[in-house]
């Protein structure tokens, strides 16, 4: 499954935020660095916005998780790719 497919799958879950966080941990375990993961998400964003079934809520969830990955959020919401908690 491609990264785009995995991102779409996570966004389609009943709780997409935790699913995207889980995907970040999976990508990290697969050997991707934090900067690479962020770039994957950033490159996916325009493709998401061009989809016929685009929903702004998915965009916002993705951006929130990207903020957590970079630390541009409340300290308790930060996400490190190697974290073990959901």
């Amino acid at each position: 499954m491609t990264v785009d497919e995995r991102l779409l799958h996570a966004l389609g879950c009943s709780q997409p935020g935790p699913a995207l966080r889980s995907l970040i941990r999976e990508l990290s375990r697969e050997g991707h660095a934090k900067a690479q993961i962020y770039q994957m998400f950033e490159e996916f964003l325009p493709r998401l916005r061009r989809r016929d079934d685009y929903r702004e809520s998915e965009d916002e969830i993705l951006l929130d998780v990207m903020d957590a990955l970079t630390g541009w959020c409340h300290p308790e919401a930060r996400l490190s790719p190697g974290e073990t908690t959901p």
Side-chain angles (χ1 to χ4, degrees):
M1 191 179 296
T2 67
V3 173
D4 279 13
E5 291 170 335
R6 293 165 79 179
L7 283 161
L8 286 171
H9 177 75
L11 285 169
C13 290
S14 61
Q15 295 186 351
L20 288 168
R21 287 172 168 265
S22 179
L23 176 56
I24 287 172
R25 289 189 297 274
E26 289 173 22
L27 292 168
S28 177
R29 283 192 299 273
E30 292 169 11
H32 298 283
K34 184 177 180 176
Q36 291 173 311
I37 295 169
Y38 186 87
Q39 183 175 358
M40 288 177 202
F41 279 51
E42 189 173 50
E43 290 173 357
F44 172 74
L45 195 53
R47 293 191 291 272
L48 174 67
R49 291 174 176 160
R50 285 192 302 267
R51 292 178 54 87
D52 291 334
D53 60 348
Y54 168 73
R55 292 188 310 252
E56 189 174 338
S57 60
E58 293 175 335
D59 190 297
E60 291 177 18
I61 292 166
L62 186 64
L63 289 170
D64 285 346
V65 173
M66 290 170 68
D67 286 347
L69 183 60
T70 62
W72 189 257
C73 59
H74 189 278
E76 292 178 9
R78 287 188 183 140
L79 174 63
S80 296
E83 77 177 354
T84 56
T85 56

